[in-house]
Amino acid sequence: MNRSTQINYYLVLVFAFSYVLIRGFTVGITHDEALTYKIIQGDEIFKGTANHHWLNTQLSSLSTYLFGAKEFALRLPNMLSFAVFWLFLFRISKTFLKSTFTQLTLLLLLCGNPFILDFFSLCRGYGLSIAFVTASLFYLFRIVDLKSESKPIHYYLSAVFSILALSANLNTLNYFLIAIALIILSALVFKPKNRIVLLSILVILCGISLYFSLDRLFFLKDQKELYFGTGNLNSTIDNLIYSSFYIKDGFKEAIILRYLLYALLLIAGFLAIRKRQVFHPGAFALIILASILIALVAENGLFEALYPINRSSLYLFPIILLAFLLNVDELKFKLVRVSLVTCSVLFILFNLFTYNLKTTMTWSEDSCIKEAMLLIKNNIQDDSIHTAECTWIYEPMVNYYRLEYAIPIQEVFRDGIKFDGEYLLIQKEWVSNKNYTPILMDRTSGLAVYKRKSISAN
């Protein structure tokens, strides 16, 4: 990697990490984050739901114990994981990609992706998982790159990072299984020092992790918590595409980009076959991607499991891109190299106006809750405890702000609007009630806040 490319990597780190950190302060708490907050506070009911991303909950619990439970502290583990993500992208780029063009393409398409950056600013397991998958990939590639000269520490670290990814997000189970299989296969072929000890430790560590993960997975299935996803693999790919452009509901050109992606991966596969090397970073990336897709199809057919979509497929981004770039890296056609960087720059320019410090694509309807709650706090002029009602989806966020921002209202519940509260927070429904007057109406998020007139009359 030449000096100018390294400078570009460091500049992107500064800008992207700053963006992530600032959003950690400014983006209001989202619905799922507020449920995680409930789990941290000891709610056993939500602990038994798919919202409980185990590693994220543990790290956020530690962070809030040290720094309080404001949004920034809840999100701190994921924000710091961006540094891990960037570091291992940098190491992959520097170690396994020879062309400046592919190095820059990897950087821009991943560290410039606004959808990916969203999850490094949120208290969810997805940012952690994509960071740890990337770290695991680096050490797995390191093993097949060094072959017989690889060290036991490379095997351990690749396995440990895959375990951490699985602990952060159960959706990475297929990656975990495939990565561990490739790690064990490599250990059998390359025979590193203390191979028997290495294999024994790997089997024990991964066996324990797999046991607890499957136990959790079957529990969630029994609780009918595994309802998020799609019934079509193409929908997963389409969603990855339009999420990258920060578009929630898709666009008709996505199908063209999907076929283009398939074509590019076929080209990458052809180039990998030409090398006639199974133990090669590019070949391993393709094997991992193909194996994950085959596993998803098999699980859908055998168990009617849904295909991942939106945030649950986030970890696929680096795998797909590396499966392509690691195999086209050695092409010396100037047109190919220039096209890669040009498309990457155009991608950044297209998304230039989607970067923001207020909202997320996934939970855009939650963007004004913080503003609404602070408005209510400023509106209350006495020391008494007031009442509020809200649409069910706002309940965890309202209760979060009630506690953490000392807003003097009683606990709200998910039992709907009964027009008994002094304040109403309603989603996507403008009410006509002579006893209430609107004090905030945001048509973008669909939030309307009403105040009972009798309050001002007093």
Side-chain angles (χ1 to χ4, degrees):
M1 179 183 287
N2 60 44
R3 184 173 178 79
S4 62
T5 304
Q6 288 191 41
I7 292 173
N8 284 325
Y9 262 80
Y10 290 125
L11 286 175
V12 168
L13 171 64
V14 171
F15 284 109
F17 198 25
S18 297
Y19 175 74
V20 166
L21 291 175
I22 293 170
R23 281 173 57 84
F25 281 103
T26 59
V27 174
I29 200 83
T30 64
H31 183 274
D32 285 16
E33 289 180 289
L35 294 180
T36 299
Y37 168 79
K38 282 191 170 187
I39 295 170
I40 292 172
Q41 297 300 310
D43 192 308
E44 292 296 325
I45 294 176
F46 284 106
K47 197 172 184 178
T49 67
N51 192 275
H52 178 36
H53 297 170
W54 184 83
L55 183 60
N56 176 67
T57 303
Q58 305 312 310
L59 294 176
S60 294
S61 296
L62 175 61
S63 180
T64 55
Y65 174 78
L66 295 174
F67 307 112
K70 291 293 192 296
E71 296 97 329
F72 184 83
L74 281 167
R75 296 162 174 169
L76 186 59
N78 275 275
M79 290 188 285
L80 294 178
S81 74
F82 176 79
V84 176
F85 181 64
W86 175 89
L87 173 64
F88 283 99
L89 285 179
F90 177 75
R91 296 187 72 182
I92 288 172
S93 179
K94 189 175 181 179
T95 308
F96 306 114
L97 295 176
K98 300 176 183 177
S99 166
T100 297
F101 298 90
T102 51
Q103 291 169 348
L104 291 175
T105 300
L106 180 68
L107 172 69
L108 296 177
L109 291 184
L110 291 180
C111 287
N113 188 315
F115 184 64
I116 292 176
L117 294 179
D118 265 5
F119 289 95
F120 287 114
S121 299
L122 298 174
C123 178
R124 309 296 298 123
Y126 306 108
L128 292 167
S129 65
I130 191 175
F132 293 139
V133 163
T134 305
S136 175
L137 285 170
F138 169 77
Y139 287 109
L140 187 55
F141 295 157
R142 192 74 172 147
I143 291 168
V144 294
D145 186 51
L146 294 174
K147 296 180 173 56
S148 59
E149 296 180 9
S150 58
K151 300 177 181 178
I153 189 64
H154 299 143
Y155 295 83
Y156 288 128
L157 288 174
S158 185
V160 166
F161 278 120
S162 69
I163 291 170
L164 289 173
L166 181 60
S167 301
N169 180 9
L170 280 175
N171 285 294
T172 61
L173 178 61
N174 285 328
Y175 170 78
F176 167 81
L177 292 171
I178 295 159
I180 295 303
L182 291 175
I183 291 169
I184 292 174
L185 176 63
S186 298
L188 293 173
V189 172
F190 300 134
K191 301 177 181 179
K193 292 181 180 179
N194 302 316
R195 180 178 49 157
I196 302 301
V197 174
L198 171 64
L199 287 171
S200 299
I201 293 174
L202 288 177
V203 169
I204 292 171
L205 277 177
C206 298
I208 293 172
S209 301
L210 182 61
Y211 171 79
F212 284 109
S213 298
L214 289 176
D215 181 64
R216 174 70 176 169
L217 190 66
F218 289 130
F219 170 79
L220 292 176
K221 183 179 179 181
D222 291 340
Q223 298 298 312
K224 301 187 184 303
E225 281 288 315
L226 304 180
Y227 54 81
F228 185 71
T230 178
N232 187 291
L233 182 58
N234 284 333
S235 296
T236 296
I237 303 302
D238 290 346
N239 187 267
L240 285 170
I241 292 169
Y242 54 72
S243 293
S244 296
F245 292 95
Y246 220 64
I247 297 172
K248 189 172 184 178
D249 299 320
F251 50 88
K252 62 181 181 180
E253 292 81 9
I255 189 170
I256 299 174
L257 294 177
R258 184 216 306 162
Y259 288 131
L260 176 61
L261 175 62
Y262 289 159
L264 292 175
L265 290 174
L266 283 174
I267 292 171
F270 173 74
L271 293 172
I273 291 171
R274 283 186 58 190
K275 291 179 181 178
R276 298 181 180 179
Q277 294 184 52
V278 173
F279 292 96
H280 179 272
F284 260 37
L286 279 171
I287 290 169
I288 292 169
L289 177 60
S291 299
I292 289 174
L293 297 180
I294 292 170
L296 292 174
V297 172
E299 289 159 1
N300 178 262
L302 295 174
F303 310 113
E304 297 183 350
L306 295 172
Y307 293 99
I309 196 171
N310 194 271
R311 56 194 182 273
S312 62
S313 59
L314 194 74
Y315 76 97
L316 291 174
F317 276 104
I319 298 174
I320 291 173
L321 190 56
L322 287 168
F324 174 69
L325 291 179
L326 287 169
N327 288 291
V328 303
D329 180 52
E330 295 182 3
L331 289 179
K332 296 182 179 179
F333 300 112
K334 189 173 182 179
L335 178 62
V336 173
R337 294 182 171 186
V338 172
S339 296
L340 288 174
V341 175
T342 301
C343 290
S344 303
V345 172
L346 289 175
F347 172 76
I348 298 294
L349 292 176
F350 183 90
N351 280 311
L352 203 56
F353 296 103
T354 65
Y355 303 112
N356 71 91
L357 303 178
K358 184 179 179 181
T359 188
T360 69
M361 188 192 83
T362 306
W363 294 279
S364 57
E365 66 275 6
D366 300 346
S367 61
C368 287
I369 292 295
K370 183 175 184 177
E371 177 186 350
M373 294 302 292
L374 293 177
L375 177 64
I376 291 173
K377 182 178 182 178
N378 293 331
N379 191 266
I380 294 173
Q381 301 299 320
D382 55 47
D383 296 328
S384 61
I385 303 298
H386 296 256
T387 60
E389 297 174 350
C390 65
T391 305
W392 71 270
I393 198 169
Y394 294 144
E395 176 267 325
M397 296 172 285
V398 171
N399 283 323
Y400 166 81
Y401 284 113
R402 181 180 67 85
L403 294 172
E404 294 302 324
Y405 282 73
I407 298 173
I409 62 172
Q410 294 179 1
E411 182 180 3
V412 299
F413 300 94
R414 297 190 173 203
D415 51 3
I417 304 294
K418 300 178 180 177
F419 296 100
D420 293 328
E422 297 172 54
Y423 294 92
L424 308 178
L425 294 91
I426 300 176
Q427 183 194 36
K428 295 181 180 178
E429 181 181 348
W430 314 130
V431 301
S432 178
N433 189 306
K434 62 182 181 180
N435 295 323
Y436 289 88
T437 183
I439 59 175
L440 175 66
M441 299 183 76
D442 186 87
R443 297 188 179 276
T444 301
S445 65
L447 171 66
V449 181
Y450 293 85
K451 176 183 177 181
R452 197 163 63 195
K453 291 179 180 179
S454 58
I455 296 177
S456 59
N458 291 334

